[in-house]
Amino acid sequence: MQYTEITVRYGELSTKGKNRREFIGRLNGNVTKTLREFPDLKIYPKRDRMHIALNGTDSTAVMAKLRQVFGIQNFSPSITISKDIEILKQTALAMMQELVPAAKTFKINTRRSDHNFEYDTNQLNLLLGDYIYDQLPQLTAQMKYPDVTLRVEVRRDGIYLSSQTIKGAGGLPVGTAGKAMLMLSGGIDSPVAGYLAMKRGVAIEMVHFFSPPYTSERALAKAKALTAKLAPYVGTINFIEVPFTEIQEEVKRSVPEGYLMTVQRRFMLRLAAALAKKREALAIFNGESVGQVASQTLESMVAINDVTTLPVIRPVATMDKNEIIKIAEEIDTFDLSIMPFEDCCTIFAPPRPKTKPRLDKARYYEEQLDGAALMARALAGVKITEIHSHDEFMQSDQDQIQSIL
Ligand code: ATP
Ligand code: MG
């Protein structure tokens, strides 16, 4: 069926009273960015819905992209016709014909914003219901949980018909909740944390620590490839790589083994906080899950979190590994995450990190280092790349990763 429009219904934002304008504006911006590869589309963000005129563009490809945009409850591809009752009957019939025999029960649901139209909603429901039943007697009308609901909308500029409602990504438009830094490793958990942050409307920038020559270019490419997997939810994501070699070497040289990990993590968080401040982000997100490993006990969090007063939000904190993996599979980051590239933490990980580090000791060991100078040098070496899901170089990174397997 050649659809002419996609009608988008807003999610939670319709309940947000006075923020509504900002939400719709932001959603409009995000949808526009996500769909920019389709030049013929025209997007009309209205108060209670958004209309996307297809102007000949194939609806399937557009809908695949729309499914990833947060802030959308559901959407329907529709056909626009002139306000002629005969054309309406024929179009409704043609749409239903495509759905039998799979569909056995149906319902007509009419809305009317043009109150001058000669038929009201009840009349239209009856008229169309009768007509379809006469033509397709194998169908039964059913008001509760029908197989198909044919939606008919009489607007000023025409009548819109749709027979499918496709579930959207839910959540809030990315950006409406402000900006945060996501500490992105190459593991399973942090990409999932990033996805969940965006789902609640938070725009994220990736902060990735890498330690050449202990970690390879491939480990860096993997983190960028993971970022590209999350980019479609928002358009583009900034990837901030922070050189971490010197800090790790210094920490390794002067901190007792049991506290290596705690002190390293304190530096990571402190650097993420410094970047947040510089780039006007309001919080830090990470992929920690309570009790998963030694650095993720509550005691450990106390000893690490000490370095900043910014909110550190841990979206997967209470999830089991299986629950996190399930989301990683849904967002297609899992296969990349499990590729065996060394991470800066694994290489410098002590064999027996303290599972219950003490805050006073962590602070004491850290004071032996020239923290300010180490931080300044790491920050001076930061490199920022804007990553888009279609970036050519990301594609080749992915190929490179594939060829290594
Ligand atoms: P993940 O699966 O996200 O790597 P994990 O279970 O392996 O998590 P850790 O490696 O202990 O746990 O890391 C905990 C969190 O610290 C990560 O989720 C991430 O937010 C942050 N982190 C760890 N390593 C890095 C890194 N190299 N760059 C940026 N952040 C990191
Ligand atoms: Mg990890």
Side-chain angles (χ1 to χ4, degrees):
M1 188 131 292
Q2 181 60 45
Y3 293 106
T4 49
E5 191 202 89
I6 296 172
T7 306
V8 175
R9 296 174 195 86
Y10 304 142
E12 232 175 284
L13 68 84
S14 21
T15 62
K16 295 272 174 178
K18 72 179 193 315
N19 293 333
R20 189 183 192 113
R21 268 170 100 110
E22 192 212 325
F23 279 60
I24 294 172
R26 185 69 76 159
L27 183 65
N28 180 29
N30 293 350
V31 167
T32 305
K33 255 199 277 178
T34 307
L35 300 180
R36 68 180 157 196
E37 69 197 81
F38 308 104
D40 297 327
L41 300 182
K42 243 182 141 30
I43 300 170
Y44 303 95
K46 297 280 168 62
R47 204 176 170 278
D48 60 342
R49 271 128 197 265
M50 178 183 286
H51 304 297
I52 303 175
L54 290 165
N55 296 317
T57 312
D58 174 43
S59 60
T60 319
V62 175
M63 293 196 293
K65 291 268 171 188
L66 265 189
R67 290 179 81 122
Q68 294 187 299
V69 180
F70 290 121
I72 294 177
Q73 187 176 357
N74 59 48
F75 54 87
S76 306
S78 61
I79 295 177
T80 320
I81 55 165
S82 58
K83 290 199 283 197
D84 176 305
I85 196 73
E86 268 316 304
I87 298 177
L88 173 60
K89 279 158 67 179
Q90 295 315 320
T91 313
L93 178 62
M95 286 177 88
M96 293 307 294
Q97 259 162 346
E98 279 205 346
L99 299 167
V100 287
K104 299 201 166 25
T105 56
F106 81 108
K107 167 185 174 176
I108 310 283
N109 182 343
T110 308
R111 276 167 61 114
R112 198 174 64 142
S113 54
D114 174 8
H115 294 281
N116 295 324
F117 190 61
E118 56 186 312
Y119 300 91
D120 68 18
T121 52
N122 283 333
Q123 288 169 326
L124 283 171
N125 285 342
L126 282 174
L127 192 148
L128 291 174
D130 283 349
Y131 182 68
I132 284 167
Y133 182 65
D134 281 347
Q135 303 293 318
L136 301 169
Q138 65 268 48
L139 278 173
T140 328
Q142 183 175 307
M143 295 304 109
K144 255 193 179 162
Y145 310 116
D147 296 337
V148 181
T149 299
L150 182 68
R151 294 173 189 256
V152 178
E153 250 189 272
V154 183
R155 293 189 221 153
R156 224 170 288 281
D157 61 339
I159 300 178
Y160 293 72
L161 293 100
S162 65
S163 58
Q164 286 180 64
T165 302
I166 297 155
K167 199 166 176 279
L172 303 172
V174 177
T176 51
K179 185 167 92 173
M181 296 286 139
L182 171 74
M183 297 174 69
L184 180 79
S185 66
I188 298 168
D189 306 330
S190 43
V192 171
Y195 165 80
L196 293 172
M198 288 194 283
K199 188 159 195 255
R200 294 310 297 164
V202 179
I204 51 171
E205 293 195 323
M206 305 309 199
V207 178
H208 178 73
F209 301 96
F210 76 118
S211 301
Y214 306 105
T215 61
S216 65
E217 282 299 313
R218 292 172 320 200
L220 191 62
K222 175 181 165 182
K224 287 185 181 170
L226 284 167
T227 304
K229 285 279 184 203
L230 295 178
Y233 295 100
V234 55
T236 59
I237 298 180
N238 283 332
F239 182 88
I240 307 173
E241 44 190 272
V242 187
F244 203 55
T245 313
E246 190 194 2
I247 293 179
Q248 286 195 302
E249 286 175 343
E250 280 301 307
V251 171
K252 177 122 188 174
R253 193 170 12 249
S254 39
V255 174
E257 198 177 273
Y259 278 80
L260 278 182
M261 196 234 7
T262 310
V263 175
Q264 275 179 46
R265 296 289 166 142
R266 284 170 63 92
F267 272 102
M268 279 192 183
L269 187 58
R270 203 183 265 118
L271 284 164
L275 285 164
K277 191 164 174 223
K278 218 168 166 169
R279 304 182 62 78
E280 296 177 342
L282 299 167
I284 296 167
F285 281 70
N286 71 23
E288 287 176 335
S289 168
V290 177
Q292 200 186 82
V293 290
S295 60
Q296 299 173 18
T297 61
L298 293 182
E299 289 83 355
S300 200
M301 287 182 196
V302 169
I304 296 165
N305 213 147
D306 172 54
V307 303
T308 182
T309 52
L310 281 182
V312 177
I313 301 177
R314 302 169 174 88
V316 303
T318 61
M319 290 186 195
D320 294 347
K321 195 77 192 184
N322 285 339
E323 295 171 306
I324 302 172
I325 288 174
K326 188 161 169 273
I327 300 176
E329 283 171 339
E330 282 163 15
I331 62 173
D332 197 28
T333 53
F334 183 72
D335 291 344
L336 265 173
S337 289
I338 56 172
M339 287 181 179
F341 298 141
E342 68 292 1
D343 181 292
C344 64
C345 306
T346 12
I347 286 171
F348 285 89
R352 280 178 307 281
K354 282 237 178 305
T355 52
K356 296 187 176 179
R358 279 173 43 184
L359 177 56
D360 55 344
K361 287 196 174 180
R363 283 180 180 164
Y364 170 77
Y365 294 131
E366 199 179 80
E367 277 162 18
Q368 314 308 310
L369 300 162
D370 186 356
L374 286 169
M375 291 269 299
R377 282 195 291 275
L379 289 171
V382 156
K383 196 175 144 205
I384 303 176
T385 325
E386 188 182 275
I387 293 183
H388 186 270
S389 56
H390 292 290
D391 275 346
E392 257 316 302
F393 82 94
M394 285 317 305
Q395 216 44 54
S396 59
D397 282 342
Q398 300 222 25
D399 292 345
Q400 195 190 342
I401 287 167
Q402 291 301 339
S403 67
I404 293 160
L405 277 183

mmCIF file of all heavy atoms in Angstrom, residues 218-246:
data_model
loop_
_atom_site.group_PDB
_atom_site.id
_atom_site.type_symbol
_atom_site.label_atom_id
_atom_site.label_comp_id
_atom_site.label_asym_id
_atom_site.label_seq_id
_atom_site.Cartn_x
_atom_site.Cartn_y
_atom_site.Cartn_z
ATOM 1 N N ARG A 218 42.163 -1.128 18.354
ATOM 2 C CA ARG A 218 40.921 -1.890 18.151
ATOM 3 C C ARG A 218 39.964 -1.716 19.325
ATOM 4 O O ARG A 218 38.752 -1.679 19.170
ATOM 5 C CB ARG A 218 41.218 -3.370 17.938
ATOM 6 C CG ARG A 218 41.930 -3.627 16.618
ATOM 7 C CD ARG A 218 42.375 -5.052 16.515
ATOM 8 N NE ARG A 218 42.900 -5.539 17.782
ATOM 9 C CZ ARG A 218 43.695 -6.580 17.926
ATOM 10 N NH1 ARG A 218 44.061 -7.277 16.879
ATOM 11 N NH2 ARG A 218 44.118 -6.955 19.101
ATOM 12 N N ALA A 219 40.541 -1.606 20.535
ATOM 13 C CA ALA A 219 39.687 -1.391 21.705
ATOM 14 C C ALA A 219 39.001 -0.028 21.588
ATOM 15 O O ALA A 219 37.828 0.127 21.936
ATOM 16 C CB ALA A 219 40.519 -1.477 22.978
ATOM 17 N N LEU A 220 39.730 0.945 21.069
ATOM 18 C CA LEU A 220 39.171 2.275 20.877
ATOM 19 C C LEU A 220 38.087 2.236 19.788
ATOM 20 O O LEU A 220 37.003 2.803 19.947
ATOM 21 C CB LEU A 220 40.310 3.224 20.465
ATOM 22 C CG LEU A 220 40.020 4.710 20.447
ATOM 23 C CD1 LEU A 220 39.652 5.203 21.841
ATOM 24 C CD2 LEU A 220 41.247 5.472 19.941
ATOM 25 N N ALA A 221 38.382 1.515 18.707
ATOM 26 C CA ALA A 221 37.417 1.389 17.606
ATOM 27 C C ALA A 221 36.136 0.726 18.104
ATOM 28 O O ALA A 221 35.029 1.092 17.702
ATOM 29 C CB ALA A 221 38.026 0.576 16.468
ATOM 30 N N LYS A 222 36.296 -0.222 19.006
ATOM 31 C CA LYS A 222 35.130 -0.913 19.541
ATOM 32 C C LYS A 222 34.238 0.055 20.332
ATOM 33 O O LYS A 222 33.017 0.061 20.171
ATOM 34 C CB LYS A 222 35.612 -2.056 20.446
ATOM 35 C CG LYS A 222 34.520 -2.798 21.164
ATOM 36 C CD LYS A 222 35.159 -3.873 22.023
ATOM 37 C CE LYS A 222 34.204 -4.429 23.035
ATOM 38 N NZ LYS A 222 34.832 -5.427 23.905
ATOM 39 N N ALA A 223 34.864 0.887 21.140
ATOM 40 C CA ALA A 223 34.077 1.867 21.914
ATOM 41 C C ALA A 223 33.377 2.841 20.972
ATOM 42 O O ALA A 223 32.222 3.234 21.202
ATOM 43 C CB ALA A 223 34.974 2.611 22.895
ATOM 44 N N LYS A 224 34.053 3.213 19.892
ATOM 45 C CA LYS A 224 33.412 4.111 18.913
ATOM 46 C C LYS A 224 32.281 3.398 18.183
ATOM 47 O O LYS A 224 31.233 3.985 17.915
ATOM 48 C CB LYS A 224 34.444 4.614 17.891
ATOM 49 C CG LYS A 224 35.394 5.635 18.470
ATOM 50 C CD LYS A 224 36.298 6.175 17.371
ATOM 51 C CE LYS A 224 37.287 7.184 17.918
ATOM 52 N NZ LYS A 224 38.316 7.517 16.907
ATOM 53 N N ALA A 225 32.500 2.142 17.865
ATOM 54 C CA ALA A 225 31.455 1.374 17.185
ATOM 55 C C ALA A 225 30.228 1.238 18.094
ATOM 56 O O ALA A 225 29.084 1.292 17.628
ATOM 57 C CB ALA A 225 31.988 0.001 16.788
ATOM 58 N N LEU A 226 30.458 1.081 19.390
ATOM 59 C CA LEU A 226 29.329 1.018 20.329
ATOM 60 C C LEU A 226 28.581 2.351 20.348
ATOM 61 O O LEU A 226 27.354 2.391 20.407
ATOM 62 C CB LEU A 226 29.827 0.673 21.743
ATOM 63 C CG LEU A 226 30.201 -0.791 21.959
ATOM 64 C CD1 LEU A 226 30.969 -0.966 23.273
ATOM 65 C CD2 LEU A 226 28.954 -1.680 21.975
ATOM 66 N N THR A 227 29.339 3.421 20.267
ATOM 67 C CA THR A 227 28.711 4.748 20.225
ATOM 68 C C THR A 227 27.849 4.875 18.972
ATOM 69 O O THR A 227 26.725 5.400 19.029
ATOM 70 C CB THR A 227 29.799 5.848 20.247
ATOM 71 O OG1 THR A 227 30.617 5.644 21.403
ATOM 72 C CG2 THR A 227 29.189 7.232 20.289
ATOM 73 N N ALA A 228 28.360 4.367 17.850
ATOM 74 C CA ALA A 228 27.589 4.429 16.597
ATOM 75 C C ALA A 228 26.277 3.649 16.726
ATOM 76 O O ALA A 228 25.266 4.015 16.137
ATOM 77 C CB ALA A 228 28.419 3.895 15.439
ATOM 78 N N LYS A 229 26.301 2.574 17.521
ATOM 79 C CA LYS A 229 25.068 1.794 17.736
ATOM 80 C C LYS A 229 24.020 2.606 18.486
ATOM 81 O O LYS A 229 22.824 2.367 18.355
ATOM 82 C CB LYS A 229 25.381 0.530 18.559
ATOM 83 C CG LYS A 229 26.079 -0.543 17.763
ATOM 84 C CD LYS A 229 25.077 -1.337 16.944
ATOM 85 C CE LYS A 229 25.783 -2.469 16.224
ATOM 86 N NZ LYS A 229 25.020 -2.911 15.051
ATOM 87 N N LEU A 230 24.476 3.509 19.332
ATOM 88 C CA LEU A 230 23.527 4.311 20.112
ATOM 89 C C LEU A 230 23.157 5.620 19.410
ATOM 90 O O LEU A 230 22.203 6.284 19.790
ATOM 91 C CB LEU A 230 24.103 4.621 21.502
ATOM 92 C CG LEU A 230 24.327 3.408 22.411
ATOM 93 C CD1 LEU A 230 24.932 3.844 23.736
ATOM 94 C CD2 LEU A 230 23.016 2.682 22.683
ATOM 95 N N ALA A 231 23.922 5.980 18.390
ATOM 96 C CA ALA A 231 23.688 7.261 17.708
ATOM 97 C C ALA A 231 22.300 7.395 17.074
ATOM 98 O O ALA A 231 21.720 8.482 17.103
ATOM 99 C CB ALA A 231 24.780 7.519 16.673
ATOM 100 N N PRO A 232 21.728 6.314 16.505
ATOM 101 C CA PRO A 232 20.426 6.484 15.855
ATOM 102 C C PRO A 232 19.321 6.983 16.797
ATOM 103 O O PRO A 232 18.339 7.548 16.332
ATOM 104 C CB PRO A 232 20.069 5.071 15.366
ATOM 105 C CG PRO A 232 21.358 4.364 15.285
ATOM 106 C CD PRO A 232 22.240 4.951 16.341
ATOM 107 N N TYR A 233 19.503 6.808 18.090
ATOM 108 C CA TYR A 233 18.466 7.264 19.015
ATOM 109 C C TYR A 233 18.428 8.781 19.120
ATOM 110 O O TYR A 233 17.513 9.348 19.677
ATOM 111 C CB TYR A 233 18.680 6.660 20.410
ATOM 112 C CG TYR A 233 18.525 5.168 20.399
ATOM 113 C CD1 TYR A 233 19.632 4.335 20.377
ATOM 114 C CD2 TYR A 233 17.259 4.593 20.363
ATOM 115 C CE1 TYR A 233 19.489 2.963 20.321
ATOM 116 C CE2 TYR A 233 17.114 3.230 20.305
ATOM 117 C CZ TYR A 233 18.219 2.422 20.284
ATOM 118 O OH TYR A 233 18.075 1.066 20.215
ATOM 119 N N VAL A 234 19.471 9.419 18.607
ATOM 120 C CA VAL A 234 19.531 10.870 18.805
ATOM 121 C C VAL A 234 20.085 11.615 17.591
ATOM 122 O O VAL A 234 19.861 12.808 17.448
ATOM 123 C CB VAL A 234 20.308 11.170 20.109
ATOM 124 C CG1 VAL A 234 21.669 10.513 20.082
ATOM 125 C CG2 VAL A 234 20.477 12.645 20.352
ATOM 126 N N GLY A 235 20.729 10.927 16.687
ATOM 127 C CA GLY A 235 21.308 11.597 15.519
ATOM 128 C C GLY A 235 22.817 11.481 15.538
ATOM 129 O O GLY A 235 23.404 10.719 14.788
ATOM 130 N N THR A 236 23.464 12.225 16.447
ATOM 131 C CA THR A 236 24.924 12.107 16.593
ATOM 132 C C THR A 236 25.276 12.120 18.076
ATOM 133 O O THR A 236 24.523 12.657 18.890
ATOM 134 C CB THR A 236 25.664 13.302 15.945
ATOM 135 O OG1 THR A 236 25.204 14.493 16.577
ATOM 136 C CG2 THR A 236 25.429 13.383 14.454
ATOM 137 N N ILE A 237 26.422 11.518 18.407
ATOM 138 C CA ILE A 237 26.895 11.533 19.803
ATOM 139 C C ILE A 237 28.371 11.912 19.796
ATOM 140 O O ILE A 237 29.149 11.392 18.990
ATOM 141 C CB ILE A 237 26.717 10.146 20.472
ATOM 142 C CG1 ILE A 237 25.229 9.758 20.529
ATOM 143 C CG2 ILE A 237 27.305 10.153 21.892
ATOM 144 C CD1 ILE A 237 24.957 8.412 21.170
ATOM 145 N N ASN A 238 28.744 12.805 20.694
ATOM 146 C CA ASN A 238 30.164 13.153 20.816
ATOM 147 C C ASN A 238 30.894 12.070 21.595
ATOM 148 O O ASN A 238 30.427 11.619 22.644
ATOM 149 C CB ASN A 238 30.334 14.488 21.533
ATOM 150 C CG ASN A 238 30.017 15.652 20.631
ATOM 151 O OD1 ASN A 238 30.166 15.559 19.402
ATOM 152 N ND2 ASN A 238 29.559 16.747 21.203
ATOM 153 N N PHE A 239 32.039 11.690 21.065
ATOM 154 C CA PHE A 239 32.865 10.663 21.700
ATOM 155 C C PHE A 239 34.136 11.351 22.197
ATOM 156 O O PHE A 239 34.901 11.901 21.404
ATOM 157 C CB PHE A 239 33.200 9.582 20.668
ATOM 158 C CG PHE A 239 34.009 8.450 21.203
ATOM 159 C CD1 PHE A 239 33.397 7.350 21.788
ATOM 160 C CD2 PHE A 239 35.404 8.471 21.137
ATOM 161 C CE1 PHE A 239 34.148 6.291 22.280
ATOM 162 C CE2 PHE A 239 36.157 7.422 21.634
ATOM 163 C CZ PHE A 239 35.523 6.326 22.204
ATOM 164 N N ILE A 240 34.334 11.321 23.489
ATOM 165 C CA ILE A 240 35.477 12.020 24.080
ATOM 166 C C ILE A 240 36.478 10.978 24.568
ATOM 167 O O ILE A 240 36.180 10.214 25.493
ATOM 168 C CB ILE A 240 35.020 12.895 25.269
ATOM 169 C CG1 ILE A 240 33.882 13.823 24.833
ATOM 170 C CG2 ILE A 240 36.198 13.687 25.843
ATOM 171 C CD1 ILE A 240 33.256 14.604 25.969
ATOM 172 N N GLU A 241 37.624 10.906 23.930
ATOM 173 C CA GLU A 241 38.622 9.934 24.380
ATOM 174 C C GLU A 241 39.639 10.633 25.272
ATOM 175 O O GLU A 241 40.137 11.713 24.951
ATOM 176 C CB GLU A 241 39.272 9.220 23.193
ATOM 177 C CG GLU A 241 39.663 10.104 22.041
ATOM 178 C CD GLU A 241 40.068 9.306 20.804
ATOM 179 O OE1 GLU A 241 41.257 8.962 20.691
ATOM 180 O OE2 GLU A 241 39.187 9.051 19.962
ATOM 181 N N VAL A 242 39.901 10.003 26.410
ATOM 182 C CA VAL A 242 40.798 10.598 27.394
ATOM 183 C C VAL A 242 42.002 9.685 27.575
ATOM 184 O O VAL A 242 41.846 8.520 27.960
ATOM 185 C CB VAL A 242 40.070 10.753 28.759
ATOM 186 C CG1 VAL A 242 40.937 11.527 29.740
ATOM 187 C CG2 VAL A 242 38.722 11.413 28.586
ATOM 188 N N PRO A 243 43.220 10.194 27.305
ATOM 189 C CA PRO A 243 44.407 9.354 27.497
ATOM 190 C C PRO A 243 44.617 9.074 28.988
ATOM 191 O O PRO A 243 44.644 9.995 29.796
ATOM 192 C CB PRO A 243 45.537 10.205 26.916
ATOM 193 C CG PRO A 243 45.052 11.608 26.974
ATOM 194 C CD PRO A 243 43.556 11.555 26.860
ATOM 195 N N PHE A 244 44.771 7.804 29.307
ATOM 196 C CA PHE A 244 44.777 7.412 30.721
ATOM 197 C C PHE A 244 46.064 6.676 31.115
ATOM 198 O O PHE A 244 46.208 6.253 32.259
ATOM 199 C CB PHE A 244 43.538 6.534 30.967
ATOM 200 C CG PHE A 244 43.072 6.488 32.386
ATOM 201 C CD1 PHE A 244 42.772 7.651 33.086
ATOM 202 C CD2 PHE A 244 42.915 5.266 33.035
ATOM 203 C CE1 PHE A 244 42.325 7.601 34.403
ATOM 204 C CE2 PHE A 244 42.468 5.209 34.354
ATOM 205 C CZ PHE A 244 42.177 6.379 35.038
ATOM 206 N N THR A 245 46.978 6.530 30.148
ATOM 207 C CA THR A 245 48.179 5.725 30.395
ATOM 208 C C THR A 245 49.014 6.263 31.556
ATOM 209 O O THR A 245 49.373 5.510 32.473
ATOM 210 C CB THR A 245 49.065 5.685 29.129
ATOM 211 O OG1 THR A 245 48.230 5.404 28.014
ATOM 212 C CG2 THR A 245 50.146 4.637 29.255
ATOM 213 N N GLU A 246 49.303 7.545 31.521
ATOM 214 C CA GLU A 246 50.203 8.095 32.532
ATOM 215 C C GLU A 246 49.616 7.925 33.937
ATOM 216 O O GLU A 246 50.310 7.524 34.873
ATOM 217 C CB GLU A 246 50.468 9.582 32.250
ATOM 218 C CG GLU A 246 51.591 10.113 33.134
ATOM 219 C CD GLU A 246 51.692 11.645 33.156
ATOM 220 O OE1 GLU A 246 50.867 12.325 32.522
ATOM 221 O OE2 GLU A 246 52.609 12.131 33.842
#
